[in-house]
Amino acid sequence: MTTQKIIYTEVDEAPALATHSLLPILQAYTSWSGVTIEKKDISLAGRIIANFPEKLNPEQRQPDDLGELGQLCLQPDTNIIKLPNISASIPQLKGAIRELQEQGYDIPDYPDEPLNDTEKKLQERYAKVLGSAVNPVLREGNSDRRAPAAVKRFGQKNPHRLMKPWPQDSKSRVAYMNDGDFYGSEKSMTMDQHCRVRIEFVGEDGKIQILKKEMPLLAGEVVDTAVMNVAKLTSFFAAQMAAAKKEGLLFSLHLKATMMKISDPIMFGHCVSVYYEDVLTRHAAVLKKLGINVNNGFADIEVRLEKLPEAQKDAIETDIKACYGNNCRLAMVDSRHGITNLHVPNNIIIDASMPVFIRDGGRMWGADDELHDTIAAIPDRSYATIYQKVVEDCQTNGAFDPATMGSVANVGLMAQKAEEYGSHDKTFVAPGQGSIRLVSEEGVILLEQTVEEGDIFRSCQTKDAPVKDWVKLAVSRAREAGTPAIFWLDENRAHDRELITKVKRYLSDHDTKGLDIRIMNPVAAMDFSLERIRRGEDTISVTGNVLRDYLTDLFPILEIGTSAKMLSIVPLMNGGGLFETGAGGSAPKHVEQFLREGHLRWDSLGEFCALVPSFEHIHKISGNDKARLLALTLDQAIGKFLEKGKSPSRKVGELDTRGSHYYLALYWAESLAAQTEDEALGKRFAKVAKDLLDKEETIINELQDAQGKTMDIGGYFHPDKAKTAAAMRPSPTLNAIIHAI
Ligand SMILES: NC(=O)C1=CN([C@@H]2O[C@H](COP(=O)(O)OP(=O)(O)OC[C@H]3O[C@@H](n4cnc5c(N)ncnc54)[C@H](OP(=O)(O)O)[C@@H]3O)[C@@H](O)[C@H]2O)C=CC1
Ligand SMILES: O=C(O)CCC(=O)C(=O)O
Ligand SMILES: [Mg+2]
C-alpha cells in the first residue's frame, strides 16, 4: 500500500501540551488507512536549536524542520496540519534562550544592542526566529477562514456567556491619528515589468545611505511605501493619555508587535516613553547605563532595576509610583499581578485584544480588578476605524446576541508575504531628516517619502499571482456559501486603489452571475456586515492580509466566544494543503493554569476540524478512499462531540483537554464502527468503541485524579518530552486501549 503523509506541527504552550494527548490517538486511528501522521518541530525552542547548532552536542542538535516545511509548501502533495505557535517578542525570545541555556544548551545570548560585527551577525541570525517567523514561510496560499456550519449551529443553540452588556453611557472609543500615520502617507504603484530596486535614505546634505541593497519586483506586483511620523505619534499618545485622565477612562494600546516585528515594537516603545516620561527623563543616565530598551516594555525597566543598589532603586520606584498617580490609569492585562498594558509588547496583540474589549462591553480591566470604559489607542488609521465602527454600533444597538447573530467568514490575501505582514525586511527607522526612496537599477526614483529622524518607513509588496488566486477563491466561496462577498478596499488608500483595479479586472475572468460581490471601504463594509449580523445574516469578508488577521479573531470571538473553533484552510497555490487549526494563538494563560492546578482548558476543536479537510485533500490527491472514510467519520464524531458538550471546561476538577480527547476518540470509534463501507474496519473499531465506553468511568476518574495539583513538565518553552507525555496521558486504561489498536 502506498502511504500519504500528513505533517503535524509540534508547537509551543497550550496546543503543544494538547498534542501530547491527541496525536497518539490520531496516529492509532489512521494506522489502518495508509495515511501516516508525522511530527515536525516548529516550536520557538526548536527553531532556536536548529539555527544555533555550532556549540551543541550532537544529541542536542535538531534539523531545520521549518526550512524543510517551507520547501514542502511548494510541492503539490503536501499536507500540513499547522497549530498556532509562538511568534516571539524579544522578551519571549530571551526567555526561551535562557531556559535552553539552563538546560545545558550552549546557545548565545541575544545581543540587545550589537556592539561589533560579530554581535550584528548574531542579531541577524536571531531575526530568523524573532516575531512571526513561521506563518509567512508556510503560507504559500491565500486563506479561507470560517466557522464550520456545525460549530456555528451549536454556537447559536448554546450561546456563549462571555458577551457582556454595554453600559448605557459608554464613553469608550477607539483613538487613532488624524495625520502623520501610515494611512496618510501611503504611496503605491503597480510594476509594468520586472525590475530590481534599492531602498535608500538621502540626508539633507545630499548624502546617500543604502538601507536595502536589492529588492526584486515582478511585473504586475504592487509596491507601496508609507511613513509613521514619530513626533505626531508621540503627541497622539500624550493627547490620548491626557483625555483618558480627564474623562476618567482607562488607556490601552493595541498593536501587532509579533507580525509587524520591526515597526510595532518601536511604536510600543514610544508609548512606554510617553507614559513614563517623568521617570525616564529624571533617571535617564542611570537607566541608560542599565541598558533599558523601552521597546521591550515596562517589564524591561522593572527587571533591570533589580541590579541597582537598594536606595537608588527605591528612588526610581517612588517616581514610578508618582507616574501612575499623575498620569491616566492604564488598562491591565493581569490586574492581580499588577501587569499593565505596557508591560511587554506580546501582551497586547490587537487581533485578540480588541475583540475581547468589545466582548466585555467596550471595557477593560483596571488595577482595581473591575471593568472600566477605555480609550483603545490604535495609532494608524488604516484599520483602526473598523473597530471604532463596531464600538459605535454597540453603543447604539447594544451588545451582539450570539444566539441570533449572523456570521462573517473571511477570504484573505496572504500568499507570498503579501502587504504589511511581509514588510519587516523593508522597514527602517529614518537615520535623519531627508527622504527615503525606492530607486530602480536605472536610477529612476519610483516612490519617495519625506522623513524626520526616528520616523518609521516601510515598504510593502503584493505579488500579482496571489491577488489573482485571492479573487478566484472569493468567487468560489461566494458561490458555495450563497452569501454576499465584500472586498474591503479603501478608495482613499493608495495601495487599495491599485488592488481595486486588479480586483475589477480579475473578477471579469470569472462567472459571477447571480453572485453578490461588491467592493466597499472598510468602514462601510463593517457597517454593512454588522447590519446583516444583527439580522442573523451571513457575509463573506474578502480582505487584505491585516484585516484577514483582525476579522478572523473579531467575528468568531463575538459569535462563538473564541476563534479556536475556526476552520482555517490555506489552499497552497501549487496544489498542496495547509490546514491551520483555529485562528488564534497558543494561549499562554492556559499553560499557567495547567502548571498551577493540573487542568488544561485548551479546546482542540480547531485541530479536529482541520483534520477533516486534510483527510479530504489526501483523498482528492491520491484517491485513497480510506482517507475519505476518515474524514466522513471524524466529521460525524465532531458533530456528536459538540452535541454532547464535551469541550473542555475552564474549571479545575471538570473535564479538561485530555477528557475531551477521550470523548472524541469514543465518538470517532463509534462512527468508524457504524460505517458499512469497510466491514473489517467496522469490526475492529466496534471493539475499540466498546472498550472505550465500558471503561468510561475508570478513564474519566483516572483523568480527573490527575488534576488539582501543580505540574512539573521540566520547562516552559522547551519542556521535557517524557514528563509532558506522562502529564498529558495520565490514564493507563485509555492508553492501553489506544495502544492496542
Ligand atoms: N497562528 C498562530 O501561529 C498564532 C500565534 N499567536 C501566538 O500566540 C501567543 C498568544 O497570543 P494571544 O494574542 O495572547 O492570543 P491567544 O489566542 O493565544 O489567547 C487569547 C485567549 O483566547 C482563548 N483561546 C485561544 N485559543 C483557544 C483554544 N484553543 N481553546 C480555548 N481557548 C482559546 C483563551 O481565552 P481564555 O483565557 O479566556 O480561556 C486565550 O487566553 C503569542 O505568542 C502569539 O505570537 C497568536 C495568534 C496566531
Ligand atoms: O503569525 C503570527 O504571528 C500570528 C498569526 C495570526 O494572528 C493569524 O494568522 O491570525
Ligand atoms: Mg490572528
Side-chain angles (χ1 to χ4, degrees), residues 87 132 135 139 145 256 258-259 351 548-549 552 580 583:
S87 294
S132 180
N135 287 323
R139 289 173 169 173
R145 286 185 178 179
K256 183 89 183 181
T258 48
M259 277 276 196
D351 50 338
R548 165 199 64 76
D549 182 20
T552 57
E580 300 193 23

Side-chain angles (χ1 to χ4, degrees), residues 484-531:
I486 311 301
F487 281 85
W488 295 41
L489 292 170
D490 185 349
E491 63 283 1
N492 291 318
R493 258 190 79 178
H495 167 80
D496 284 13
R497 278 197 297 275
E498 299 298 308
L499 281 205
I500 288 172
T501 308
K502 278 183 185 287
V503 168
K504 285 184 178 159
R505 180 172 344 126
Y506 294 141
L507 274 176
S508 69
D509 294 342
H510 299 279
D511 171 17
T512 54
K513 218 164 115 211
L515 302 183
D516 184 356
I517 298 181
R518 310 183 201 186
I519 300 174
M520 292 183 172
N521 74 55
V523 172
M526 178 59 93
D527 201 25
F528 178 81
S529 308
L530 293 180
E531 249 183 55

